[in-house]
């Protein structure tokens, strides 16, 4: 099966630092791929490269087999690649509803009427319906994370890149998040999820990649990767909880 989103030989250097160093990665239609690794492993930089946040130093990114390496982030979003950020970036002066509607219009290319319905549906789905009229700048950290996810979903992605979306959530909220992501996966959405909360990640993913020092250290079935001695040495340090 052809990968939906793939990268070959991806390199991103910042001066002398190679944050991503020769990474090959592929995710197939409907698959949920997890990415783990210690801080500084290059995970978020890899997401930035896939989403078009900055130019690569080397390598090729493909969507449906077509090279998109030279395309800007807005064009990649229009083609179906959406991402969340570790630190949410809402439009603080707009309401929660307006934030999601803007994403539906600008990223999802919906007209005004269609964007209203889409925003309302996604706010209900992400547990934000009761906060629709609240300014985004008045939200606490946890609700800003929910809004970050809602904005990504409003672009109608084919590939959803989740960057530590579970961080800072309570266990109850984390359970809701896992249920939501499993629902998205059941509908055929392709997901790539960076996460430090392993018990949440492992409930969702089909395959796992571990990165360290900008490179792929191990890849395969989640339990096999987690049992790998190199992974434990580089990332876990002990048995996972």
């Amino acid at each position: 099966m052809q990968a939906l989103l793939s990268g070959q030989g991806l390199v991103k250097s910042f001066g002398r630092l190679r944050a991503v160093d020769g990474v090959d990665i592929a995710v197939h239609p409907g698959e949920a791929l997890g990415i783990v690794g210690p801080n500084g492993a290059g995970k978020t930089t890899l997401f930035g490269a896939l989403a078009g946040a900055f130019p690569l130093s080397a390598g090729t990114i493909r969507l449906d087999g077509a090279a998109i390496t030279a395309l800007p982030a807005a064009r990649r979003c229009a083609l179906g690649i959406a991402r969340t950020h570790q630190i949410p970036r809402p439009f603080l002066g707009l309401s929660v509803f307006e934030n999601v509607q803007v994403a539906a219009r600008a990223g999802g290319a919906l007209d005004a009427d269609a964007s209203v319905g889409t925003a309302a549906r996604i706010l209900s789905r992400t547990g934000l319906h009761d906060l629709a009229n609240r300014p985004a700048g008045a939200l606490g950290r946890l609700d800003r994370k929910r809004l970050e996810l809602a904005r990504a979903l409003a672009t109608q992605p084919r590939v959803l890149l989740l960057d530590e979306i579970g961080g800072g959530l309570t266990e109850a909220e984390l359970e809701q998040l896992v249920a939501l992501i499993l629902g998205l996966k059941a509908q055929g959405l392709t997901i790539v999820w960076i996460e430090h909360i392993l018990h949440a990640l492992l409930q969702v993913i089909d395959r796992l990649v571990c990165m360290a020092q900008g490179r792929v250290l191990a890849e395969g079935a989640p339990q096999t990767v987690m049992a790998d001695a190199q992974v434990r040495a580089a990332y876990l340090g002990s048995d996972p909880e």
Side-chain angles (χ1 to χ4, degrees):
M1 180 187 299
Q2 177 175 279
L4 178 56
L5 178 65
S6 65
Q8 295 82 38
L10 303 184
V11 176
K12 179 58 185 176
S13 298
F14 298 97
R16 295 184 179 181
L17 172 66
R18 279 198 168 194
V20 175
D21 189 7
V23 167
D24 293 336
I25 190 168
V27 58
H28 295 90
E31 183 180 29
L33 176 67
I35 302 179
V36 297
N39 291 332
K43 305 182 299 295
T44 294
T45 302
L46 174 62
F47 263 24
L50 293 173
F54 42 69
L56 283 169
S57 304
T60 302
I61 298 170
R62 297 182 184 277
L63 181 67
D64 267 342
I68 61 169
T69 316
L71 296 182
R75 180 60 182 149
R76 296 189 202 189
C77 182
L79 290 173
I81 299 174
R83 70 165 296 185
T84 66
H85 296 83
Q86 290 183 34
I87 300 175
R89 303 176 179 182
F91 297 110
L92 298 179
L94 299 182
S95 70
V96 169
F97 184 89
E98 289 168 335
N99 265 271
V100 179
Q101 186 183 19
V102 166
R105 296 202 68 181
L110 298 180
D111 62 26
D113 290 340
S115 68
V116 168
T118 295
R121 174 175 53 81
I122 290 173
L123 288 178
S124 294
R125 190 171 199 177
T126 53
L128 289 170
H129 187 267
D130 290 344
L131 301 176
N133 294 320
R134 184 171 297 184
L139 296 179
R141 180 177 62 177
L142 303 184
D143 286 328
R144 285 195 187 193
K145 279 185 169 286
R146 293 182 184 181
L147 179 55
E148 183 77 358
L149 175 59
R151 293 188 339 141
L153 292 175
T155 68
Q156 304 179 88
R158 301 172 62 201
V159 182
L160 179 62
L161 308 178
L162 298 173
D163 194 352
E164 296 191 30
I165 192 72
L169 299 180
T170 67
E171 277 301 316
E173 289 166 335
L174 199 58
E175 288 179 8
Q176 295 176 24
L177 176 68
V178 167
L180 172 59
I181 296 173
L182 283 170
L184 296 171
K185 179 184 174 185
Q187 293 177 358
L189 183 59
T190 303
I191 297 165
V192 187
W193 186 4
I194 295 171
E195 188 56 73
H196 282 295
I197 305 174
L198 295 176
H199 70 273
L201 183 69
L202 293 174
Q203 292 180 63
V204 173
I205 60 172
D206 303 301
R207 192 160 50 90
L208 183 62
V209 169
C210 180
M211 292 183 63
Q213 298 181 331
R215 301 178 180 179
V216 173
L217 186 63
E219 176 180 358
Q223 297 303 331
T224 301
V225 171
M226 299 303 295
D228 187 282
Q230 293 186 85
V231 171
R232 292 182 179 279
Y235 174 56
L236 296 173
S238 62
D239 289 340
E241 296 180 357

